[in-house]
Structure formats: structure tokens, C-alpha cells
Amino acid sequence: MRQKILPDKTGHFGVFGGRFVPETLIYALDELEKKYSSAKKDKRFREEFSAYLSEYAGRPTPLYLAKNLSRHIGIKRVYLKREDLLHTGAHKINNTLGQAILAKMMGKKRVIAETGAGQHGVATATVAALFGLKCDVYMGEEDIQRQALNVLRMKLLGARVIPVKSGTRTLKDAMTEALRDWVTNVRHTYYIIGTVAGPHPYPAMVRDFQSVIGKEAKQQILKKEKRLPDYLVACVGGGSNAMGLFYPFFKDRSVKMIGVEAAGLGLFSGKHSASLVSGTPGVLHGCKSDVLEDKFGQIKNAHSIAAGLDYPGVGPEHAYYKEIKRADYVAVSDKEALEGFKLLSEVEGIIPALESAHAIAYLKKAGKNIKKGAVVILCLSGRGDKDLHESY
Ligand SMILES: *Cc1c(COP(=O)(O)O)cnc(C)c1O
């Protein structure tokens, strides 16, 4: 199959993507698509975005040669793209900055978001504080109890956290409520989606905002190695840090891409978040992609020890990359991820987010299968301070 850069005009990546939303949102999505495509070409938007990325968020992030890790797992050179060093501790700020600047340019006074573990909620509340926007974050009641610290953070940043009591009272119910709010308040409200999912144009737009990761990494590796890497490795929840790294290398056919999902308690336990490795095509969050659903077509609850991977779907562009075999997707368990978490802490003095620890764990496991002399870039999507209580 020929490999094209997508989405097409209707927001499809092959059969994936598109828009599965109430009629009332079509106008809002069209408006967003128009505004985004003109902002992309607008020098003022690009300069403002890149100034905030560097002055506020801390870009460019280093591409660090992890010599001890490389030696330990028997791969020639593993470089870590240090998104963990960004303001708020993860890559999510790249996207929320881009969308908040866009919201401001569109004259919106209020932003909303949904959050599971609270990480995207915190990144949204952060930019809302920065730009003086009112901010409401939908969060399942269950998650509010589990993630008390992030709830406090959001409140301190001036956001309102709205408890969602319906369904399983977790992320997927929060998404439904956020979409419902948007339908009602679309004139003055902007909906900040946290990953490369949602109805068109969100998957492509979030990808573009996150692709600063891969663009920087490419320049940095060409400078350090005088050649492209052999492998890119990143964890996949909704897929935004992975797509941000992968996308700028799409046409570089020699570069292999590996996305690492959460196998949770094991793929056969039913308690995992591996939508690409073991899901089926379906509709979630306004787009078609691979999802976890039961035999009645109901979306299942995902599970992962890493809160940020705990999502029963994945961005449509990943489903497309899988279909055309541009990227490989694998899954590692909670237990393996914890080993990755300890390993990087012990050998490099870097405590990774449990999400990113999945990518580390995969490299450790697959080290022998990766060709000798390989140069690898691994996206260290976030730092692990938030996860210390999980690891004991
Ligand atoms: C949210 C999060 C993820 C998962 O989201 P993606 O959209 O798949 O990148 C991964 N790592 C960290 C640190 C996160 O906070």
C-alpha cells in the first residue's frame, strides 16, 4: 500500500478518524478547522506558540545519550528525548499551549477539558491561568478520589473540577460530559482535547502541536550521529507523545517506529489498555479508531498502572500506521513497567513517568532482537515524581 500523509479533507486516515458527533457540533468543528488551518500559516500564531514553548515550557528539550542504560540493555546507543524536563513535567503542555493560543485568537473566554488521572486537566488549568481563561475540567468521581493531588493542583490554578457521576465515573464518562458541555456552550467555549483523538480536526491538530518533539529530535540526532536513528520508541495511551515523535520521520523509511501500549495485568486478563494490540475498530470520543469494547459494543474500562495510558481508545492515525505497517505496536505489563521504572532510576538517576517506563521496559525486553549497533530514540514523555506511591 502506498503510504500517504493524511488526514484527507474529511479527516480520515484510511478508514479511521472522521467525525462521529451530534449535528450541532459540525459547525463548531468546521469553524475550528478553518481557524486552525489559517493559524498554521499565520506568522504571528507560529511565533507566539514557539515563544511560549521556549520561554514558558522550556524547549528545546535535550536529546540525552543514556550510556548506562544502553550498556545495561545491550543496545549501542539509546537517546532519551527529555520531555520530562518540561514545565508541568510532561509533553502535554506542548499541546495545551497550542490550543489555548488558538482559543484566545478565536475570541473564546472559556476552555473545558476532560481528564482521567488529572494530568491533562493540570496542563489545561495551567494554560488557562496563563491566558486568563475560565476553565472547567470534567473528571469522574472515582478518579477525583484516586487523584487528589492533581485535583488540588487544578483548583490552585483556578480551575473548577466538575465531578462526573454517570457510568463508571471514570475517563470515558468525563469525555461524554465534556462533549455534552461543548454542544451546549459552543459559542464562547473551546474544548481542549488532550491527545491525538477526538473528531477531526483534533487528531491532526494535536499531532502538529506535539510534532515539535520529533522535529527537534531529528535535528539533534543528525547533529550528534550524522545520520537518522534506526528506531523510535514511545509509549502509547491516546498516542500524542508517540505521534509527536513519529510523524516528522514518517517518510524516512529506514526509521522503524515502535509504539508501546499497556498490557496491564496481561492481555488475557481483560485488564489492560492495549487498544491497538488487542482492540477492534470502533467509535469512541467522536472518531473511528481501534477501541476496547465488549461483545455488545460497549466500551470497556481500560486498566494500566500508568494513569496516562489508562484509555480504552487510541488516536486514529496510529490505527492507520498499524494498518499500513508503518509502525509496530507492542504491549508490556504493569510488572514490566515497574521494572523499567526502577531500571532508569537506578542506572541513569532519572525517575521516569510510569507511562514512559513502558517504553524503557520494552527496550529492555527486546534489546536482543534489536540489531547490533542500533541507534534508538526513546521519548521520555514525563517525569515520575507523581508515581512514587505506585512503585512500592
Ligand atoms: C498522558 C501521558 C501519556 C499518554 O498520553 P499520549 O497521548 O499517549 O502521549 C504518556 N506519558 C505521560 C507522562 C503522560 O502524562
Side-chain angles (χ1 to χ4, degrees):
M1 195 185 298
R2 222 182 91 213
Q3 303 191 336
K4 280 188 301 201
I5 295 240
L6 290 167
D8 63 18
K9 281 203 177 67
T10 60
H12 283 87
F13 304 87
V15 299
F16 302 106
R19 284 176 179 172
F20 294 80
V21 293
E23 188 60 34
T24 40
L25 282 184
I26 297 296
Y27 174 80
L29 291 167
D30 282 342
E31 184 200 16
L32 177 60
E33 188 185 354
K34 236 185 281 154
K35 285 283 157 60
Y36 173 58
S37 70
S38 63
K40 241 190 334 193
K41 294 174 218 129
D42 184 346
K43 202 160 152 245
R44 276 171 319 166
F45 175 83
R46 290 211 309 256
E47 282 175 1
E48 187 174 358
F49 182 37
S50 106
Y52 277 105
L53 284 177
S54 61
E55 308 293 312
Y56 185 76
R59 304 212 72 91
T61 58
L63 186 71
Y64 165 69
L65 172 56
K67 287 191 191 138
N68 299 335
L69 178 71
S70 307
R71 201 177 316 118
H72 191 89
I73 59 188
I75 293 174
K76 189 167 177 207
R77 281 198 280 282
V78 179
Y79 287 87
L80 304 178
K81 183 61 175 157
R82 299 289 309 272
E83 297 300 290
D84 60 315
L85 294 177
L86 289 174
H87 179 44
T88 69
H91 67 292
K92 287 195 171 70
I93 192 81
N94 300 324
N95 168 48
T96 54
L97 273 173
Q99 292 198 57
I101 295 169
L102 190 61
K104 198 166 58 96
M105 283 175 95
M106 291 170 76
K108 308 279 181 182
K109 303 277 185 260
R110 173 178 181 254
V111 294
I112 57 169
E114 82 286 330
T115 197
Q119 288 152 241
H120 173 55
V122 170
T124 301
T126 300
V127 296
L130 176 63
F131 295 118
L133 301 163
K134 191 168 178 298
C135 179
D136 287 335
V137 178
Y138 286 91
M139 190 167 183
E141 236 178 10
E142 182 81 23
D143 289 331
I144 288 181
Q145 279 166 17
R146 289 192 293 202
Q147 306 289 337
L149 190 60
N150 277 338
V151 174
L152 285 177
R153 282 198 183 102
M154 287 184 266
K155 288 185 175 163
L156 182 61
L157 292 162
R160 190 163 62 135
V161 179
I162 304 178
V164 175
K165 302 179 203 301
S166 55
T168 54
R169 302 178 301 151
T170 58
L171 178 62
K172 65 187 163 77
D173 313 292
M175 286 179 333
T176 310
E177 284 307 313
L179 268 172
R180 196 170 290 160
D181 179 315
W182 201 35
V183 173
T184 319
N185 302 300
V186 65
R187 280 192 31 224
H188 63 282
T189 295
Y190 183 101
Y191 179 19
I192 300 189
I193 291 185
T195 189
V196 286
H200 177 64
Y202 283 100
M205 179 172 70
V206 177
R207 171 198 72 195
D208 293 349
F209 291 151
Q210 291 292 2
S211 67
V212 65
I213 302 173
K215 280 185 210 150
E216 281 177 13
K218 197 171 190 175
Q219 276 183 0
Q220 291 166 317
I221 200 76
L222 286 174
K223 194 149 171 232
K224 288 174 197 273
E225 291 283 339
K226 312 278 181 293
R227 69 171 179 95
L228 291 170
D230 301 298
Y231 295 89
L232 304 175
V233 182
C235 66
V236 176
S240 68
N241 85 89
M243 194 49 74
L245 177 64
F246 293 176
Y247 181 67
F249 293 90
F250 182 83
K251 289 187 173 161
D252 302 310
R253 299 293 295 273
S254 66
V255 180
K256 293 197 177 64
M257 300 170 175
I258 300 168
V260 185
E261 296 194 302
L265 301 179
L267 292 177
F268 297 104
S269 69
K271 295 198 182 315
H272 62 80
S273 307
S275 320
L276 290 160
V277 170
S278 97
T280 46
V283 170
L284 176 69
H285 211 167
C287 70
K288 181 169 177 180
S289 187
D290 282 338
V291 301
L292 299 176
E293 53 187 15
D294 65 19
K295 59 179 189 253
F296 305 108
Q298 292 293 322
I299 298 296
K300 286 201 271 201
N301 262 337
H303 164 83
S304 169
I305 191 169
L309 302 185
D310 200 342
Y311 176 63
V314 65
E317 194 163 8
H318 283 292
Y320 172 69
Y321 276 32
K322 183 184 99 176
E323 190 182 77
I324 65 171
K325 300 191 162 55
R326 181 62 189 90
D328 287 326
Y329 295 91
V330 296
V332 311
S333 70
D334 287 352
K335 190 163 162 276
E336 292 166 326
L338 277 173
E339 287 164 14
F341 183 80
K342 296 212 168 88
L343 175 63
L344 194 69
S345 304
E346 286 169 9
V347 304
E348 292 288 350
I350 298 172
I351 302 175
L354 272 174
E355 291 82 0
S356 327
H358 283 71
I360 306 276
Y362 170 75
L363 265 196
K364 179 169 183 256
K365 201 160 99 171
K368 289 173 246 56
N369 303 334
I370 284 183
K371 73 171 190 236
K372 264 215 173 79
V375 170
V376 176
I377 298 179
L378 182 145
C379 188
L380 200 67
S381 55
R383 64 172 179 235
D385 314 43
K386 66 180 179 61
D387 297 318
L388 291 181
H389 64 284
E390 295 282 1
S391 63
Y392 284 97

